[in-house]
Amino acid sequence: MKKVGVAILGLGVVGGGTYKILTDNKEYFKKTQELELTVESVLEKNIERALSLGVNENIIAKNIEEVVSNPQVDIVVEVMGGTTFAKDFVLKALKCGKTVVTSNKELFAKHWPELEKVAKKANAGLFYEATCVGGVPIIRVLHESMQANKLLSIKGIINGTTNYILTKMANEGTSYEEALKEAQKLGYAEFNPTADVEGFDATYKISILSSLAFNTKVGIDNIYRQGITKLTKEDFLYAKQLGYTIKLLAIGKNTNNGIEVRVHPTCVANDNPLSTVSDSFNAVHLVGDSVGEIMLYGRGAGALPTGSAIVSDVIFAAKHPEFYYTTFKNTEDGVAETKYVSDFSSQYFVRLTVEDSVGVLSKIAQAFAKANVGIKQVKQSASVDGKAPVVIITHECYESAINKAISKLKKLDASITIDGIMYLED
Ligand code: HSE
């Protein structure tokens, strides 16, 4: 039976889950995979934490050099997060010819070409299933199961923290601040929630996913990003009245005019399967030119779901110890050569407050028509003190066109106030 030694860098939530799966299922992996996987080394400053997980004191390393020079270690699992020590440690492991398995999306999104270059040179494996969508096996699906297709789009809810917050706002009518506090209390959101709520985490993930989907390096600077912090109770109320809910979507499209990738709050129609993805769950929807639509759903975070992705990579790596792929030109030049759509198109959800008087709606309709924006649906609610809320759903139009329509509305007169504009997906 093949014996494979594993080191774990960081015994936080994901490291702890990884350790548990590797040790609890050791006999099962011998039987099903014909592999004897042994944790030979861990790097964790918090010794108490390591011991509480059942780690033998003898395998707690003092520093990274001790890990990478250990001949018993074949695979190094990096689950520390961050891009300073983590980058240094991953590069050290690769240079020593150790295969690396990581969950570090920020490291990957920012430094993938460099990591890959070093891995190739050392003929070391580099695996990253756990960087995107936790336990949902999306990376290997893109690598191994979709080659027959030109992928036309990849869309998803790929951040569990924001999905928990948005689900609470939608179902309970709570404010953003209240929902965030609850998410922090439950341990979904961090004390500093910026990476999740401002869309950075989803941006790192869609950078990796769209690079794989569209066979080119999609850099994070080429991704439009908007977080969820400005959403209000009213946004949810009016979206609900028209049969929509609000989700933080990561969207990648491969069009004839180039690639477009964005992360932003989106009104999603109630009959779109992504609208039913609730709480901290994640989902990814793919469209391939041969297969059509595919949707993957599951837990995008947590000790055991992310540990599942890590250990699956460890098993795959144990069977493929050499550098295994990528399928595209993964260099900084690759980023520069990729053609992006400069003026993308979408449907929009526009929320206004208007003076309830003769001719106001006609002025609005003219402003949209002059900007070449088609109106798909209009709803005016009962007015209070002579002011009426109006929601307009547009047909798909260019962003430049909706911006033109909005600036025309702004110039009209004081009888129209623009309360919010959101992207919309049917
Ligand atoms: N903070 C991430 C989320 C964890 O909420 O989805 C997994 O990347």
Side-chain angles (χ1 to χ4, degrees):
M1 181 165 319
K2 187 172 180 183
K3 293 187 176 184
V4 176
V6 180
I8 306 176
L9 311 183
L11 285 177
V13 174
V14 178
T18 301
Y19 181 80
K20 182 171 167 48
I21 297 171
L22 282 170
T23 47
D24 286 3
N25 293 354
K26 189 173 167 124
E27 292 306 313
Y28 179 72
F29 297 143
K30 280 189 193 166
K31 214 162 71 187
T32 57
Q33 304 297 327
E34 295 192 356
L35 289 172
E36 185 176 340
L37 301 172
T38 308
V39 180
E40 296 283 358
S41 179
V42 301
L43 190 62
E44 170 57 52
K45 274 189 299 204
N46 185 342
I47 307 289
E48 291 307 310
R49 160 94 183 141
L51 297 177
S52 74
L53 289 166
V55 172
N56 185 327
E57 208 171 345
N58 298 335
I59 67 161
I60 304 177
K62 288 184 193 62
N63 50 46
I64 186 67
E65 281 70 28
E66 205 180 298
V67 177
V68 297
S69 63
N70 183 341
Q72 305 300 322
V73 170
D74 302 293
I75 297 175
V76 174
V77 171
E78 184 276 307
V79 279
M80 303 159 52
T83 55
T84 50
F85 290 115
K87 184 180 176 206
D88 183 37
F89 292 4
V90 164
L91 288 175
K92 281 195 167 117
L94 290 171
K95 281 176 186 161
C96 288
K98 310 284 185 196
T99 281
V100 168
V101 171
T102 181
S103 60
N104 193 331
K105 63 223 67 152
E106 183 179 1
L107 178 68
F108 237 70
K110 291 183 177 169
H111 301 290
W112 190 358
E114 183 183 345
L115 302 180
E116 187 169 311
K117 199 169 152 192
V118 174
K120 270 183 181 159
K121 195 166 168 204
N123 197 24
L126 180 58
F127 296 91
Y128 50 96
E129 181 65 68
T131 57
C132 297
V133 210
V136 179
I138 178 68
I139 303 279
R140 202 153 292 122
V141 164
L142 289 171
H143 266 306
E144 307 278 350
S145 311
M146 299 296 287
Q147 299 96 324
N149 292 265
K150 176 181 179 191
L151 279 173
L152 305 174
S153 83
I154 176 162
K155 288 181 198 170
I157 293 170
I158 58 177
N159 181 271
T161 304
T162 48
N163 204 42
Y164 175 82
I165 293 171
L166 298 180
T167 304
K168 199 165 172 63
M169 289 177 79
N171 293 350
E172 296 172 31
T174 42
S175 68
Y176 165 73
E177 287 76 17
E178 287 170 290
L180 171 63
K181 261 192 209 136
E182 185 64 23
Q184 283 171 322
K185 210 163 87 188
L186 291 172
Y188 291 130
E190 301 199 15
F191 176 68
N192 176 354
T194 309
D196 290 318
V197 298
E198 294 294 359
F200 289 103
D201 176 81
T203 301
Y204 300 144
K205 292 170 182 166
I206 197 69
S207 160
I208 298 167
L209 294 175
S210 54
S211 296
L212 292 172
F214 307 144
N215 301 300
T216 187
K217 178 73 174 76
V218 177
I220 50 178
D221 294 339
N222 296 103
I223 300 174
Y224 172 79
R225 176 185 56 79
Q226 189 186 320
I228 64 162
T229 56
K230 304 262 175 353
L231 292 172
T232 63
K233 289 180 183 184
E234 288 72 27
D235 289 323
F236 283 87
L237 182 73
Y238 292 111
K240 195 173 182 178
Q241 284 180 1
L242 287 166
Y244 291 83
T245 191
I246 302 172
K247 296 290 184 191
L248 182 72
L249 289 196
I251 300 174
K253 288 187 190 169
N254 192 7
T255 74
N256 290 336
N257 297 326
I259 287 168
E260 73 179 58
V261 186
R262 38 199 172 98
V263 171
H264 49 63
T266 312
C267 279
V268 182
N270 288 344
D271 58 1
N272 180 320
L274 288 174
S275 74
T276 63
V277 178
S278 297
D279 298 318
S280 62
F281 277 90
N282 283 197
V284 182
H285 177 269
L286 302 169
V287 182
D289 64 349
S290 304
V291 71
E293 295 182 81
I294 291 181
M295 190 150 137
L296 299 168
Y297 169 89
R299 291 230 174 254
L304 295 180
T306 312
S308 156
I310 293 274
V311 175
S312 300
D313 262 357
V314 166
I315 290 169
F316 192 88
K319 296 176 180 178
H320 304 87
E322 72 291 1
F323 184 79
Y324 192 62
Y325 20 52
T326 21
T327 51
F328 59 89
K329 188 180 169 194
N330 192 3
T331 62
E332 297 304 342
D333 290 353
V335 178
E337 283 167 17
T338 306
K339 190 176 164 219
Y340 290 93
V341 172
S342 54
D343 190 10
F344 57 74
S345 59
S346 174
Q347 286 182 253
Y348 292 89
F349 177 95
V350 182
R351 211 154 64 67
L352 311 167
T353 301
V354 306
E355 209 174 272
D356 195 5
S357 57
V358 174
V360 175
L361 282 185
S362 142
K363 283 190 212 168
I364 296 171
Q366 278 178 41
F368 276 78
K370 279 188 188 148
N372 204 21
V373 176
I375 293 177
K376 187 172 176 182
Q377 202 178 343
V378 181
K379 181 174 165 54
Q380 179 175 333
S381 303
S383 63
V384 177
D385 299 331
K387 300 274 184 192
V390 170
V391 176
I392 296 175
I393 292 178
T394 73
H395 284 293
E396 189 157 331
C397 66
Y398 286 113
E399 186 161 55
S400 57
I402 191 78
N403 287 342
K404 200 166 151 191
I406 297 301
S407 71
K408 282 188 185 298
L409 283 187
K410 282 184 181 159
K411 279 186 206 141
L412 275 177
D413 53 49
S415 61
I416 299 164
T417 317
I418 297 151
D419 297 326
I421 306 165
M422 218 180 304
Y423 299 92
L424 183 142
E425 294 267 327
D426 276 334

